Amino acid sequence: MRLDQQGLLNSGWWKEAGYDVPEYDRGQMKERTKENPYWIHFGAGNIFRAFLAHAVQKLLNKGLLDRGLIVAAGYNYEMIDRVYRAHDDYTILVTLKADGSIEKTVIGSIAESLTLDTDNGMDFRRLKSIFEKDSLQMASFTITEKGYCLTDEKGDYIPDVAEDFRVGPEKADSYIGKIVSLLYTRFQSGEKPIALVSMDNCSRNGEKLQQAVNEYVVEWTERGLAAPGFLEYINNPARVSFPWTMIDKITPRPDASIGKMLEKDGVEEMTPFAMSMHSYAAPFVNAEESGYLVIEDCFPNGRARLEGEGIYFAGRATVEKSERMKVCTCLNPLHTALAVFGCLLGYDRISDEMKDRELHNLICDIGYREGLPAAEHPGIINPAEFLDSVINIRFPNPFMPDTPQRIATDTSQKLAVRFGETIKAYLESDMLNIRDLKSIPLVFAGWLRYLIGIDDCGQPFELSPDPLLDMLQERISGLHLGKQLGAEEEERLKTLLEDDKIFGVNLYEAGMAEKVIEYYKEMMVGPGAVRGVLERISASSCCVFKERI
């Protein structure tokens, strides 16, 4: 049976095979959505399908919504042709629960899929027409943390950004440039209100999106490429808002074993495939059961009734505390620690790492002893209970095919938020002592050890993609396993550890660099040294941890 409009006409087959199917008139939903769109999402990846599209489907099933979503891909355009349009914008969500049960859902809430591609005249004209609609309330984004970065590691504008500044909104070709071009269309059609909602895992994500957008608007206005009123429009929260959010849903890349399971059910063409940009895709997405989305309730054009199904609306302070709790304390730092040491120790599943006593103790120490004292209670989610769930249920879930190699992607872009914010909280506190941090500097040292691309058995391994990888490897060139650090090598490390863009703070000024280098030297002694350091630190941290709980 094919996953498409024709295949879904036989809904009885799908139900008999154990699939939940849409319980609404999809034809009417698509017609209403295309005529009066209220929500367009940029970023056609796994978390969009597993969380946002699923939540909207459940609200459609309950009759609480009568329109669905429109999605646009800004990077992997082939995702639209090979995943969405090839299946008439249907997708399958496979929810892998910790108790071993599996829930299979055919998602039909996506009404339309497009490419954010100026070379695709039809798609881009359609996007412009969507942004001209009075009904459009929200454009949301999951484009990763690096999607909002306009400069390179030297602080210079990325070439396509600089070119967009020069040519203006009619010829913009960078990701954010094309978004701002669409906003200019909305401005020209009557200064219509809209909320731009970043849902990426980065601190103050709405602020980052606003800053990126504003840079284009300022440049275009100053160069006379956009009407002067455009800058006032973008900076008027009564017309354009940038709500902050916290999103939490683990959605690994599609696993081949899940594809085989679906094909065994009789569903055709479910094998994951590699796309041209070296990412993997499939007509299905596999994900955990848990999911949270907390959104700042700031929508100048109103909003649909989206409460429920894991979606919460709150004030900015609550959103920020929720985001900091998750990204800086209770989940993301733990994920990064497991990613770094998982690669070094030869693991290929996060769930397997949770059976490793030293790694389990490490993330307990980072979360409970070092992180929680610096976390504020957001009010709607209890940090200790959230952390308990992550460590005892979510990460150990053996049915989730998540890998440390996936989590290790773009680590240089993550450290400043995932660990730097906790370090800052310690530096600013009268009650917390920076010298009490042992596991966080151990993760930094582990990451430096990771960058040489040699595992703890002395074997080479492939480093995960990172926009700063070339620069980082150049900085540590000459550092080899078994070779003592000389003055020149230490100076190279110093230039890294002083970089507050990577670590969130200058680690020398924070009084942490010496500890990082000490751990790093120990882990560079030879094969088995990483495990040795983990055993030593884990033993002492575990004792302290047991005393405090």
Side-chain angles (χ1 to χ4, degrees):
M1 183 67 70
R2 275 192 55 80
L3 176 69
D4 57 19
Q5 188 65 40
Q6 184 66 31
L8 264 295
L9 290 177
N10 189 354
S11 61
W13 182 94
W14 292 90
K15 292 177 182 178
E16 189 173 334
Y19 293 76
D20 293 329
V21 297
E23 298 172 9
Y24 47 89
D25 187 319
R26 189 167 185 258
Q28 289 185 7
M29 180 277 293
K30 290 177 68 173
E31 185 177 331
R32 292 191 190 103
T33 305
K34 290 181 180 181
E35 180 62 30
N36 291 296
Y38 67 98
W39 183 356
I40 182 169
H41 184 83
F42 293 91
N46 294 338
I47 199 166
F48 165 73
R49 291 184 288 162
F51 193 169
L52 305 180
H54 189 210
V56 169
Q57 168 134 315
K58 287 188 283 187
L59 293 170
L60 283 164
N61 284 341
K62 293 176 180 178
L64 298 175
L65 292 177
D66 65 353
R67 289 169 292 167
L69 290 148
I70 297 173
V71 67
Y75 290 124
N76 289 323
Y77 298 146
E78 62 189 300
M79 183 85 169
I80 296 300
D81 288 328
R82 299 182 66 182
V83 173
Y84 286 85
R85 291 176 180 169
H87 299 277
D88 294 333
D89 293 328
Y90 281 105
T91 195
I92 293 175
L93 168 62
V94 181
T95 303
L96 306 170
K97 301 182 181 181
D99 64 5
S101 62
I102 295 174
E103 184 179 280
K104 297 173 291 187
T105 307
V106 176
I107 305 292
S109 60
I110 302 162
E112 189 175 5
S113 57
L114 301 161
T115 61
L116 182 63
D117 182 5
T118 49
D119 291 332
N120 186 328
M122 182 178 296
D123 276 17
F124 206 74
R125 283 193 296 273
R126 173 58 182 154
L127 285 168
K128 283 191 170 185
S129 73
I130 290 169
F131 271 75
E132 290 172 342
K133 293 281 188 177
D134 292 346
S135 60
L136 186 63
Q137 298 171 329
M138 165 169 53
S140 57
F141 304 83
T142 49
I143 60 176
T144 76
E145 294 158 274
K146 63 185 177 183
Y148 307 101
C149 185
L150 309 184
T151 58
D152 59 22
E153 67 274 8
K154 297 178 182 178
D156 298 324
Y157 284 115
I158 297 167
D160 62 349
V161 173
E163 178 64 10
D164 279 2
F165 286 171
R166 188 184 70 81
V167 300
E170 296 304 317
K171 298 180 180 179
D173 196 49
S174 65
Y175 201 125
I176 298 296
K178 287 179 282 190
I179 296 297
V180 182
S181 173
L182 293 172
L183 289 172
Y184 192 56
T185 296
R186 190 161 183 79
F187 164 75
Q188 290 179 310
S189 67
E191 301 186 24
K192 295 171 182 175
I194 189 171
L196 302 178
V197 188
S198 169
M199 295 180 180
D200 279 298
N201 277 321
C202 49
S203 182
R204 301 187 174 192
N205 47 20
E207 185 176 282
K208 285 181 170 59
L209 175 58
Q210 183 174 16
Q211 290 172 346
V213 167
N214 209 52
E215 286 199 52
Y216 283 84
V217 179
V218 168
E219 287 286 341
W220 288 346
T221 301
E222 290 181 349
R223 295 171 188 236
L225 298 170
F230 187 38
L231 181 60
E232 182 180 350
Y233 166 74
I234 290 294
N235 287 283
N236 180 358
R239 311 308 293 170
V240 182
S241 69
F242 296 84
W244 296 9
T245 68
M246 184 279 279
I247 194 165
D248 175 32
K249 183 83 169 179
I250 298 174
T251 55
R253 86 180 197 185
D255 191 81
S257 66
I258 303 298
K260 289 178 181 177
M261 179 192 73
L262 299 179
E263 289 182 341
K264 189 176 180 181
D265 287 342
V267 187
E268 300 172 18
E269 301 174 2
M270 289 291 113
T271 303
F273 56 87
M275 295 189 290
S276 58
M277 294 181 71
H278 308 295
S279 58
Y280 283 81
F284 68 89
V285 56
N286 37 244
E288 66 170 342
E289 182 177 14
S290 179
Y292 300 90
L293 174 59
V294 186
I295 308 177
E296 180 185 359
D297 201 354
C298 182
F299 290 78
N301 200 29
R303 61 171 175 81
R305 182 180 173 184
L306 299 173
E307 289 90 346
E309 310 305 339
I311 300 177
Y312 305 83
F313 290 89
R316 175 171 290 189
T318 297
V319 175
E320 183 175 21
K321 289 175 184 177
S322 300
E323 179 268 327
R324 289 173 66 87
M325 175 208 69
K326 183 245 177 181
V327 176
C328 308
T329 305
C330 295
L331 193 151
N332 296 70
L334 283 57
H335 239 168
T336 291
L338 291 173
V340 168
F341 287 106
C343 292
L344 287 170
L345 297 176
Y347 283 104
D348 61 5
R349 284 288 188 270
I350 293 292
S351 57
D352 288 339
E353 288 189 75
M354 294 302 293
K355 302 171 187 175
D356 186 307
R357 189 171 69 92
E358 282 78 36
L359 295 182
H360 184 275
N361 287 345
L362 173 67
I363 66 166
C364 281
D365 198 61
I366 293 171
Y368 289 108
R369 188 181 67 83
E370 297 186 348
L372 276 184
E376 288 188 80
H377 197 306
I380 59 175
I381 303 171
N382 183 289
E385 292 176 2
F386 185 93
L387 185 56
D388 288 342
S389 173
V390 167
I391 291 177
N392 299 318
I393 299 173
R394 297 173 65 184
F395 283 1
N397 183 346
F399 307 101
M400 275 288 290
D402 208 1
T403 69
Q405 292 75 23
R406 179 187 81 90
I407 305 300
T409 300
D410 301 337
T411 298
S412 70
Q413 310 296 292
K414 300 172 179 176
L415 296 174
V417 173
R418 299 187 178 192
F419 299 99
E421 294 303 310
T422 294
I423 295 171
K424 291 176 187 176
Y426 271 72
L427 291 172
E428 295 167 1
S429 173
D430 295 329
M431 306 294 292
L432 302 172
N433 189 335
I434 195 74
R435 297 185 182 278
D436 289 336
L437 296 179
K438 296 180 181 179
S439 293
I440 289 177
L442 179 61
V443 176
F444 292 162
W447 179 60
L448 296 176
R449 169 68 179 79
Y450 160 91
L451 289 172
I452 71 170
I454 303 294
D455 68 20
D456 200 35
C457 293
Q459 299 300 311
F461 67 90
E462 183 179 356
L463 297 174
S464 298
D466 191 300
L468 299 185
L469 194 55
D470 290 342
M471 179 275 289
L472 292 166
Q473 291 193 298
E474 181 182 347
R475 294 270 187 97
I476 65 167
S477 62
L479 303 178
H480 303 291
L481 197 62
K483 177 184 176 182
Q484 288 189 334
L485 265 66
E488 182 180 345
E489 289 82 9
E490 286 212 31
E491 185 61 31
R492 289 190 179 192
L493 284 181
K494 182 179 180 182
T495 62
L496 273 180
L497 299 179
E498 289 177 328
D499 194 333
D500 58 2
K501 290 183 179 179
I502 292 178
F503 296 101
V505 296
N506 180 322
L507 293 179
Y508 279 92
E509 293 178 357
M512 189 178 289
E514 291 78 6
K515 188 171 290 187
V516 174
I517 291 176
E518 174 191 335
Y519 290 149
Y520 178 72
K521 286 180 177 179
E522 288 187 65
M523 287 190 280
M524 288 290 286
V525 169
V530 173
R531 174 62 73 182
V533 173
L534 282 169
E535 288 176 347
R536 178 175 66 82
I537 301 302
S538 172
S540 61
S541 295
C542 188
C543 291
V544 174
F545 173 66
K546 286 178 179 177
E547 290 173 3
R548 294 194 176 201
I549 61 175

